[in-house]
Amino acid sequence: MTGLVAAERGVGEFAVVDALPEFVVVAFAAVTHLADPWFLFALLAVGYWFASDRTAGSPRRAGATAIAAVTCAYAATALGKAWFAVARPPGAMPPADVPTWLPALLSGWYEAQVLSDGFGFPSGHATGGAAAYLAVALLYDRFWTDRARYLAAGAVAVAVAASRVIIEVHYLVDVLAGLAVGAGTVAVALWLAGDPRVRRSASAETAAGPTGALNPAPAFLLAAVVSTGSLAVAVAGGHTGEVVEAGIGIATGAGGAVGWRLVEGDEPAVPVRVAVPALAVTGGLWVGAYALAGTLPVTLVATTAAVVAVVALPALPERIGGTSGARN
């Protein structure tokens, strides 16, 4: 713990939260899923695989860069949590105050949302949500209007951040820091990827617009480097949970960079017949990575394989077709 962030860092936000009707708190417990890591990466993978040129000038480059930006955001979160090592609010600790009117089926779900261990600064949900929705709004630049995309992204990111305070698993300062870190990492990731809007270089634009020449590999590598620093801090502090998260960050960044080397960047959307089994395989690898978190080498291998598969998938149909043609 550095002492830069106080363990008791509330500003009276929970007095306001405690005055809210129970149904509002339950509703925000559902909203928080919009920035669960599994949901965000699934959302980004679907966009990366299936987006067309009606949503982005270069949908594969845009989608991979969005994934890289969010990977950077989670790497920064892991480093911050391991570095500051401050606890969550008391409300995140058991027992959970479950509304008596909730059906039994939902009681367990609600309890799982409002109880959370690990460190609290910055908020991973606020960081990931801000990064993901801002990246989508910036990179899928042919979908809706600029104003509509930015307003929608901001509304969802703020709603997720608010949800973390309303269910009392984060202080207000945790989510404000998360929003700032998420937005900042997107800017850095886009700069590394060569986005002309961030570098302010009109000459870098192509006929496909600002996404036409993006290269997400440097952003993926940055995530791996930052995660390596997080791993060192977590090991030095004896923070076991953060060691696992840092390891997953290293594997995700490295896997993304390797996967992108197999992609040209101008591939068409992935056929559903290829995407469905790929989703089952990569999903299984992700589940296995977290289920075997106690065995770090296995987790790293499973995560790396899953990310390589996700990022390289758009190139698979052409490679299979080329192989079949060569055999014939």
Side-chain angles (χ1 to χ4, degrees):
M1 179 175 175
T2 64
L4 296 177
V5 178
E8 297 295 334
R9 53 196 184 279
V11 292
E13 58 267 51
F14 297 134
V16 177
V17 169
D18 289 341
L20 294 174
E22 286 184 334
F23 76 88
V24 172
V25 179
V26 172
F28 274 97
V31 168
T32 202
H33 285 303
L34 294 175
D36 282 351
W38 67 266
F39 179 84
L40 291 181
F41 278 111
L43 176 70
L44 295 172
V46 167
Y48 173 56
W49 289 349
F50 298 123
S52 70
D53 56 9
R54 290 179 294 179
T55 56
S58 181
R60 244 46 69 203
R61 292 182 182 276
T65 302
I67 295 172
V70 176
T71 302
C72 286
Y74 279 119
T77 300
L79 178 60
K81 287 190 175 183
W83 183 268
F84 295 108
V86 289
R88 293 176 183 268
M93 302 297 107
D97 185 13
V98 180
T100 56
W101 49 268
L102 268 182
L105 185 62
L106 293 179
S107 294
W109 161 80
Y110 180 79
E111 185 173 3
Q113 305 316 303
V114 301
L115 297 181
S116 189
D117 55 8
F119 297 127
F121 183 91
S123 163
H125 276 71
T127 304
Y133 294 109
L134 177 59
V136 167
L138 287 167
L139 292 165
Y140 291 103
D141 59 327
R142 294 183 177 178
F143 184 71
W144 291 350
T145 64
D146 289 350
R147 179 183 176 85
R149 291 196 314 276
Y150 299 151
L151 285 176
V156 176
V158 170
V160 168
S163 76
R164 304 304 285 172
V165 178
I166 290 173
I167 65 176
E168 299 192 26
V169 295
H170 280 291
Y171 292 102
L172 178 61
V173 67
D174 300 346
V175 301
L176 292 178
L179 291 172
V181 171
T185 52
V186 168
V188 171
L190 294 190
W191 187 88
L192 287 172
D195 191 315
R197 296 168 297 180
V198 179
R199 294 194 173 188
R200 299 183 180 180
S201 172
S203 62
E205 291 201 28
T206 68
T211 64
L214 293 177
N215 176 15
F220 276 124
L221 292 174
L222 174 64
V225 170
V226 173
S227 295
T228 301
S230 174
L231 179 64
V233 173
V235 169
H239 308 314
T240 305
E242 280 60 42
V243 167
V244 174
E245 292 297 327
I248 290 174
I250 294 171
T252 303
V258 171
W260 184 251
R261 288 182 62 86
L262 304 174
V263 177
E264 294 293 333
D266 58 355
E267 288 83 356
V270 177
V272 174
R273 60 181 172 77
V274 174
V276 170
L279 184 61
V281 172
T282 55
L285 288 170
W286 274 110
V287 171
Y290 278 92
L292 299 172
T295 310
L296 189 57
V298 176
T299 297
L300 298 184
V301 171
T303 302
T304 303
V307 178
V308 170
V310 167
V311 176
L313 189 64
L316 183 62
E318 183 177 349
R319 289 175 180 270
I320 292 175
T323 302
S324 299
R327 288 177 178 174
N328 292 334

